[in-house]
Amino acid sequence: MIPAYNEEGRLAGTLKALRVYFSGQRYEIVVVDDGSYDRTAQIARSFGCRVVQHSCNLGKGAAVKSGVMASTGDPVLLTDADLAAPISEFPKLEAALARGADIAIGSREATGAKVCRASFRRKLAGKVFNLMVRSITGLPYRDTQCGFKLFRGHVARALFSHAKCSGYCFDVEVLVLAREMGLKVEEVGVEWYDMPGSKVRMLRDGWRMFVEAVKIRRSFAGASLLETIGTSVQGDTFWPG
């Protein structure tokens, strides 16, 4: 599942890599065109992807939710359009699910991680943000924002059906929901390359992400799980199988 906004310059290379890697296997690629004004959707369709289109730019969190809810596969892999974590790292996440995890999150900080080409400024910004997230939410993970995550299919769709964050902090919200649901999450060190063309702007988006993280913390404070996500969710439609 790939969220994409004006990614005509990078998407084709990523889709080629995915098609080669998964050749001979049953798979689907869902691309969410989040209000792009370039050829993102046309390129995705030319590779036979299932394309979900937003009429305007709603934000990365909204795009990921649309894509996950449109997915039918098991497991569900979330990856970015630039494939900053190479698809060759996929078996590491698969192994975590085989060990019993419900969710495997790629990490640039966990044991075994290898970060290439990232500037000192970007590395520092990432460490500061993750420290802030851990302080605000109590999540134990060293890297919540790496765009390479693997979910059991029913877990992904259950989580994202309740996700509300439309911005970059959607990862934090989903991991808080996972904690509240009692799901098992394993953080896995992966190889990651700082790719040119990032849409994230440290000052502008950093402030927005801080505000989003505070809102996520407040949305769970003092509320039981069912009060937070709604009492209509019961039984096997909610809890992991």
Side-chain angles (χ1 to χ4, degrees), residues 30-114:
V30 180
V31 175
V32 179
D33 177 5
D34 189 27
S36 300
Y37 49 81
D38 65 2
R39 298 179 59 253
T40 292
Q42 294 95 311
I43 291 170
R45 290 193 179 98
S46 74
F47 280 86
C49 301
R50 179 183 300 182
V51 178
V52 178
Q53 281 188 277
H54 291 171
S55 59
C56 60
N57 182 235
L58 300 179
K60 187 174 182 180
V64 172
K65 178 173 181 174
S66 292
V68 169
M69 299 312 296
S71 71
T72 60
D74 182 24
V76 174
L77 174 69
L78 307 186
T79 188
D80 288 332
D82 59 5
L83 209 61
I87 193 59
S88 57
E89 297 294 279
F90 179 64
K92 295 180 180 180
L93 303 189
E94 279 190 306
L97 264 58
R99 290 191 291 268
D102 297 299
I103 307 166
I105 61 172
S107 173
R108 294 159 291 191
E109 298 291 339
T111 301
K114 181 182 178 182

Side-chain angles (χ1 to χ4, degrees), residues 44-239:
R45 290 193 179 98
S46 74
F47 280 86
C49 301
R50 179 183 300 182
V51 178
V52 178
Q53 281 188 277
H54 291 171
S55 59
C56 60
N57 182 235
L58 300 179
K60 187 174 182 180
V64 172
K65 178 173 181 174
S66 292
V68 169
M69 299 312 296
S71 71
T72 60
D74 182 24
V76 174
L77 174 69
L78 307 186
T79 188
D80 288 332
D82 59 5
L83 209 61
I87 193 59
S88 57
E89 297 294 279
F90 179 64
K92 295 180 180 180
L93 303 189
E94 279 190 306
L97 264 58
R99 290 191 291 268
D102 297 299
I103 307 166
I105 61 172
S107 173
R108 294 159 291 191
E109 298 291 339
T111 301
K114 181 182 178 182
V115 176
C116 305
R117 301 198 298 259
S119 67
F120 172 78
R121 186 182 178 194
R122 179 152 187 175
K123 288 181 180 179
L124 180 61
K127 290 180 183 293
V128 169
F129 178 77
N130 280 288
L131 180 62
M132 177 196 73
V133 166
R134 293 168 74 175
S135 176
I136 292 173
T137 66
L139 290 172
Y141 315 113
R142 297 173 63 187
D143 183 7
T144 60
Q145 302 309 111
C146 180
F148 197 62
K149 294 179 172 67
L150 187 67
F151 299 75
R152 298 189 188 278
H154 67 284
V155 167
R157 290 179 278 273
L159 284 168
F160 280 93
S161 69
H162 302 295
K164 297 178 181 178
C165 181
S166 61
Y168 287 115
C169 232
F170 76 92
D171 308 78
V172 176
E173 181 187 30
V174 166
L175 290 171
V176 171
L177 279 166
R179 179 182 64 191
E180 297 300 303
M181 289 182 180
L183 297 169
K184 183 178 180 181
V185 179
E186 184 171 334
E187 188 172 14
V188 180
V190 296
E191 186 174 321
W192 186 87
Y193 291 81
D194 188 11
M195 307 296 277
S198 173
K199 302 294 192 303
V200 180
R201 299 294 177 263
M202 283 187 282
L203 291 178
R204 180 195 66 187
D205 295 320
W207 172 250
R208 290 177 180 175
M209 291 166 73
F210 170 75
V211 172
E212 288 174 351
V214 171
K215 287 181 178 179
I216 290 165
R217 173 66 183 88
R218 288 176 177 172
S219 72
F220 285 88
S224 71
L225 177 60
L226 291 182
E227 289 172 336
T228 301
I229 66 173
T231 55
S232 62
V233 183
Q234 298 177 3
D236 291 339
T237 60
F238 175 73
W239 298 107

